[in-house]
Amino acid sequence: MNPQNLLIRPPQTQFCTLGCPILDKALGGGIPTNSITELVSESGCGKTQLSLQLLFTSQLPTTHNGLNGSSLYLYTEFPFPYRRFTQLVKSFQSTHPILFESARDPQDYIYMREVHDAHQLFDILSHLSFCLENKATKLDVKMIVIDSIAALFRSEFENSARDLKKRCDLFFRISACLKGIAKRFGVAVVVTNQVVDLMDDGGTSGVRVGNIEWLWSSGRRVCPALGLSWANCVNTRLFLSMCEVVEGVGEGLGDDGFVRRGKRRELHVVFAPHLPYSCCDYVIRKEGVSGVER
Ligand SMILES: Nc1ncnc2c1ncn2[C@@H]1O[C@H](COP(=O)(O)OP(=O)(O)OP(=O)(O)O)[C@@H](O)[C@H]1O
């Protein structure tokens, strides 16, 4: 690669639909291939639901904005959510009946593997690279999801300078391996990450990274787990937030009636090489995650 052929080569980034035109529009077409997209949020915002959804939408033909390939789901938190997964299988089959005329089962095109620590993840990715290269294995993976990356690093490393350096070294090795696979094989990589509460403005956790000055969720100021070095390992960061809202006031329970509360969920583009800041409301149903017009 040199500056000349950078100009000559047309950009070949494909986008994988999220299965909802509103979400796709907010993300400039969907999840990009050839790079790492991070979904970051507090627990319960729908990272897993959205990740599972992508395992199916990536199987769609490119005419339906999919990647026409298989997907790999590496999960680090147990147990695997089978009930939600089977709900999504049914929903995906019913919304794409033409694709399943030949009794094609979308589950046959999803590979799953549990991962217990960061070293194991690195070994799996190294082996995957070999399998994708080897035509005999016929492993046509176009979407890799790691749910969640933070869980791998939570307990293994201490807060000492030595361990932080080791941790940082692993971040860069894992992300280099993922980016290598993404670019070589035109794969979209999605990793989920958790947030931690932000207690003060000092230190690297308070450093603004991306479009949004402060990330808020459930009334708390939060920041993505794994710090600044991990922030440099991903290409795109999407933040899912939620807050409680009053949806209406019903009758009963005294003079004021009772307050009906619900959750407002938002997806924000924190940073992305191809996108400005954008924000979109979404809901989670058993059929999956979908955007809602404001
Ligand atoms: N079948 C469903 N119908 C409606 N809502 C659902 C359904 N499944 C999940 N949800 C909603 O999604 C939320 C959990 O989503 P999910 O587990 O994907 O979040 P998460 O961000 O991955 O959380 P964690 O970090 O704990 O894994 C639940 O709180 C619930 O509100």
Side-chain angles (χ1 to χ4, degrees):
M1 176 68 69
N2 59 38
Q4 282 75 26
N5 60 28
L6 254 180
L7 292 172
I8 295 162
R9 283 182 177 199
Q12 292 177 337
T13 302
Q14 279 178 277
F15 290 87
C16 178
T17 176
L18 286 93
C20 162
I22 299 172
L23 292 177
D24 285 349
K25 192 172 162 216
L27 298 185
I31 303 292
T33 56
N34 310 338
S35 65
I36 305 177
T37 301
E38 182 195 53
L39 297 176
V40 61
S41 80
E42 67 167 303
S43 180
C45 284
K47 300 183 292 295
T48 299
Q49 194 78 8
L50 201 51
S51 305
L52 293 175
Q53 194 162 320
L54 289 167
L55 302 178
F56 297 99
T57 57
S58 56
Q59 296 182 30
L60 292 170
T62 46
T63 48
H64 288 62
N65 303 320
L67 300 176
N68 198 20
S70 310
S71 44
L72 172 67
Y73 185 69
L74 300 171
Y75 58 102
T76 64
E77 288 176 330
F78 315 100
F80 175 79
Y82 275 109
R83 194 177 59 83
R84 284 156 64 183
F85 181 74
T86 41
Q87 279 172 345
L88 285 174
V89 174
K90 282 189 196 137
S91 151
F92 188 65
Q93 280 172 322
S94 64
T95 48
H96 299 89
I98 300 161
L99 299 173
F100 300 101
E101 271 174 356
S102 56
R104 180 186 184 278
D105 187 344
Q107 294 175 87
D108 292 343
Y109 297 84
I110 299 174
Y111 303 94
M112 290 186 194
R113 174 81 197 252
E114 53 182 64
V115 185
H116 295 271
D117 62 61
H119 297 280
Q120 190 192 5
L121 174 64
F122 188 69
D123 291 344
I124 290 171
L125 294 177
S126 307
H127 187 62
L128 176 68
S129 189
F130 169 77
C131 293
L132 290 172
E133 202 168 29
N134 184 352
K135 292 278 176 273
T137 58
K138 293 195 175 133
L139 202 64
D140 186 25
V141 170
K142 290 290 176 200
M143 171 68 68
I144 298 174
V145 176
I146 302 173
D147 185 19
S148 89
I149 193 85
L152 294 177
F153 290 93
R154 212 160 26 202
S155 54
E156 207 180 317
F157 296 90
E158 305 264 322
N159 224 1
S160 66
R162 192 165 160 268
D163 266 25
L164 288 174
K165 192 168 168 295
K166 268 174 33 191
R167 197 179 82 144
C168 186
D169 180 52
L170 254 177
F171 287 166
F172 283 99
R173 279 170 56 204
I174 288 172
S175 91
C177 198
L178 284 169
K179 283 178 184 168
I181 291 173
K183 286 210 169 104
R184 257 178 90 196
F185 304 103
V187 172
V189 177
V190 174
V191 294
T192 68
N193 190 7
Q194 284 144 5
V195 292
V196 291
D197 282 349
L198 192 56
M199 297 301 177
D200 61 65
D201 299 351
T204 52
S205 54
V207 173
R208 172 175 169 173
V209 181
N211 296 313
I212 310 172
E213 189 160 12
W214 302 117
L215 305 183
W216 289 89
S217 192
S218 298
R220 297 177 351 243
R221 215 167 77 195
V222 294
C223 75
L226 308 182
L228 201 51
S229 46
W230 174 254
N232 284 285
C233 290
V234 298
N235 303 94
T236 299
R237 171 169 279 172
L238 307 175
F239 174 57
L240 308 176
S241 69
M242 63 182 173
C243 66
E244 204 171 83
V245 288
V246 175
E247 289 183 332
V249 181
E251 286 181 8
L253 294 181
D255 297 340
D256 300 332
F258 67 88
V259 176
R260 196 157 34 84
R261 292 176 197 280
K263 282 199 174 93
R264 178 174 183 173
R265 299 175 187 274
E266 290 177 334
L267 179 148
H268 307 262
V269 177
V270 180
F271 59 79
H274 60 295
L275 284 177
Y277 171 75
S278 69
C279 173
C280 167
D281 286 14
Y282 67 93
V283 289
I284 309 176
R285 299 199 184 94
K286 70 176 184 334
E287 297 80 20
V289 178
S290 53
V292 284
E293 300 276 13
R294 284 196 179 185

